[in-house]
Amino acid sequence: MEFEFWWLLAFPLFFALGWIAARVDIRQVVTESRALPNSYFRGLNFLLNEQPDKAIEAFLEVVKLEPETIDLHFALGGLFRRRGEIDRAIRMHEHLLEREYPQGHKGLAEEQRLRAMSELGQDYLKAGLLDRAEQVFGKLLETAQHGQARTHLLEIYVQEKDWQKAIDAARLLERDTSKPLNSDIAHFYCELALLESAKGNPDGAAAHLQQALAANRQSVRANLMMGDLHAAAGRHEAAIAAWRLVETQSAGHMALVVDRVLGSYRQLGRIGEGVQWLRAFYARQPSHDIFNALYPAVSETEGAAAACQLAREELRRNPSLRTLDRLLEAEIITADPEQRELLQLEKSLVASHSQRMMRYQCGSCGFKAKQFFWRCPACGRWDSFDPERGEGES
């Protein structure tokens, strides 16, 4: 194939056309930049320097000078909401949806209108205006914003404790997003079971717990509650079986169960068997909370000397104030009368400090509490609490 020399003439032409196109783009960018007020660039500078207060004031000035800057309205509304200035965020987004545009202006594009509605719904949600938020997100279900709308509706139903609506919304959200929500759905069924138990309807509660396990076979909470139902009805063998299933689901959560198991063994008159089981479990899964349940049971069935030996072994394995408190408790029993008073004083000081420090902690937001929560009261996450208490700062 012969080389066409005229291509050599074409290369400079293509280069020139590319250079002209680039110049046109650069000129357009420069022209648009010059059209923006200086306040816009001051606002950006404040944001980069992490000065949101000054950035907001600068951007508000831009909005007054250039009311058509829709994206800036969104940015300001988001800033207001994150700072907790919900009233200002609501006004900003309502203004976008309700303002009148000059003749010939097309107004908000459909995508912008839906985005403004979604932002307004989030403002209402943050403000605790759940009815208004639900109304806004309900309107968005048949739009391109349906996934986000359903997510926020689920959040609303959880806040309202409308667990059946939460279940329905979660199932639809699973279908729309393919995101598994079976763990949350199991918790919603457990909440319904609690309501039935409060009404004195154990059969209804058990039915909801079966639904929870059908949604999530790994639901620790459902088996724990099922054991509670059996124990309340005097079915202690069934209660023990339900509680011991927790080990196959999450061994760490046995810290919430072992006292219950020992209680049912005691009701059956087989506390020795219960202690033997717990010793074997403690050997497999040693922890402070398991030790704390085992120690008094060993003291009861095997005597103070065995309990003292157990406390010494735990203290060597994992030193803590709580274990030291137990060791002092055992030593007081076997101590001479002269030593007993001093040991009692030491135990009082250690116990007081240990009780102040023992806390459950949310792994998501760090919130600490004296009691265990399935859902964090601070951040709202399910299953975020470590079932083992830690000795943190009081």
Side-chain angles (χ1 to χ4, degrees):
M1 182 177 177
E2 293 185 6
F3 181 74
E4 299 288 346
F5 284 97
W6 64 270
W7 278 99
L8 294 174
L9 300 174
F11 285 136
L13 177 62
F14 292 146
F15 177 79
L17 289 173
W19 182 82
I20 292 168
R23 292 287 293 173
V24 169
D25 287 343
I26 291 169
R27 283 176 183 170
Q28 184 177 355
V29 170
V30 170
T31 302
E32 289 178 356
S33 297
R34 286 174 178 168
L36 289 169
N38 289 333
S39 308
Y40 178 80
F41 298 101
R42 286 208 312 276
L44 287 177
N45 188 51
F46 287 136
L47 274 183
L48 290 172
N49 291 320
E50 298 184 359
Q51 295 177 279
D53 291 340
K54 292 182 179 179
I56 285 173
E57 295 307 317
F59 286 143
L60 283 173
E61 188 178 334
V62 178
V63 169
K64 290 175 185 175
L65 296 171
E66 299 287 340
E68 304 306 312
T69 51
I70 291 168
D71 285 337
L72 195 52
H73 280 71
F74 284 128
L76 272 172
L79 275 173
F80 286 142
R81 187 168 64 244
R82 284 193 295 275
R83 286 170 48 79
E85 298 182 59
I86 308 301
D87 288 344
R88 297 180 82 179
I90 289 172
R91 286 199 301 271
M92 185 66 66
H93 293 129
E94 283 181 340
H95 174 67
L96 273 176
L97 287 166
E98 297 172 1
R99 75 180 182 182
E100 295 182 1
Y101 291 88
Q103 190 172 4
H105 193 287
K106 294 180 181 179
L108 288 179
E110 180 64 9
E111 182 182 348
Q112 292 171 329
R113 187 181 68 82
L114 294 178
R115 182 183 171 189
M117 287 179 66
S118 179
E119 294 289 334
L120 181 59
Q122 292 176 61
D123 296 338
Y124 288 147
L125 184 55
K126 187 75 178 285
L129 303 171
L130 301 184
D131 290 343
R132 291 190 188 182
E134 184 176 355
Q135 188 177 17
V136 171
F137 291 126
K139 292 177 181 177
L140 292 171
L141 286 177
E142 303 302 322
T143 72
Q145 295 274 348
H146 63 89
Q148 190 180 43
R150 213 176 291 284
T151 299
H152 291 305
L153 282 170
L154 175 56
E155 185 181 349
I156 290 168
Y157 299 144
V158 169
Q159 286 193 38
E160 292 178 334
K161 301 187 186 302
D162 194 332
W163 304 115
Q164 188 57 56
K165 279 189 176 181
I167 290 166
D168 297 339
R171 293 200 185 282
L172 288 169
L173 189 58
E174 275 189 322
R175 185 196 66 188
D176 286 355
T177 63
S178 300
K179 177 185 176 183
L181 292 170
N182 54 316
S183 179
D184 287 8
I185 290 170
H187 278 296
F188 302 155
Y189 278 120
C190 287
E191 294 290 343
L192 287 174
L194 282 177
L195 293 175
E196 291 301 321
S197 290
K199 294 175 188 174
N201 182 12
D203 292 338
H208 285 310
L209 293 177
Q210 290 294 350
Q211 289 174 305
L213 288 167
N216 178 22
R217 298 307 303 177
Q218 297 303 309
S219 175
V220 169
R221 187 183 184 188
N223 275 326
L224 190 150
M225 291 177 64
M226 191 70 82
D228 288 346
L229 283 179
H230 287 312
R235 299 187 295 269
H236 292 287
E237 291 279 9
I240 291 169
W243 288 325
R244 288 180 61 172
L245 278 173
V246 170
E247 184 181 357
T248 66
Q249 298 170 311
S250 170
H253 281 85
M254 286 297 288
L256 305 174
V257 170
V258 288
D259 281 323
R260 290 171 160 91
V261 175
L262 286 177
S264 279
Y265 272 120
R266 185 175 283 105
Q267 288 295 322
L268 292 169
R270 291 156 44 194
I271 185 61
E273 184 182 337
V275 172
Q276 195 173 21
W277 164 79
L278 188 52
R279 270 192 177 278
F281 179 77
Y282 177 68
R284 296 193 303 273
Q285 194 77 20
S287 75
H288 281 321
D289 280 336
I290 302 301
F291 163 79
N292 213 40
L294 179 60
Y295 171 86
V298 168
S299 181
E300 176 187 347
T301 59
E302 301 176 25
C308 189
Q309 179 60 30
L310 179 70
R312 285 197 184 97
E313 290 171 1
E314 173 65 13
L315 196 61
R316 290 191 194 99
R317 186 192 70 82
N318 195 355
S320 73
L321 288 175
R322 187 166 33 160
T323 310
L324 179 59
D325 176 45
R326 289 300 200 184
L327 179 58
L328 290 170
E329 180 182 321
E331 289 183 341
I332 286 170
I333 297 172
T334 57
D336 296 332
E338 297 82 27
Q339 296 176 313
R340 196 168 295 162
E341 186 176 352
L342 180 59
L343 286 172
Q344 186 65 58
L345 178 60
E346 291 174 357
K347 184 189 180 313
S348 305
L349 292 171
V350 170
S352 175
H353 194 58
S354 174
Q355 287 172 8
R356 285 202 307 271
M357 293 177 68
M358 296 311 299
R359 294 288 186 274
Y360 293 103
Q361 185 169 358
C362 173
S364 177
C365 70
F367 178 78
K368 294 179 182 179
K370 290 184 178 180
Q371 71 179 89
F372 178 83
F373 289 98
W374 293 104
R375 179 172 180 258
C376 178
C379 68
R381 291 283 299 275
W382 293 97
D383 291 321
S384 62
F385 265 66
D386 191 326
E388 282 278 347
R389 287 176 294 175
E391 290 187 350
E393 294 181 5
S394 58

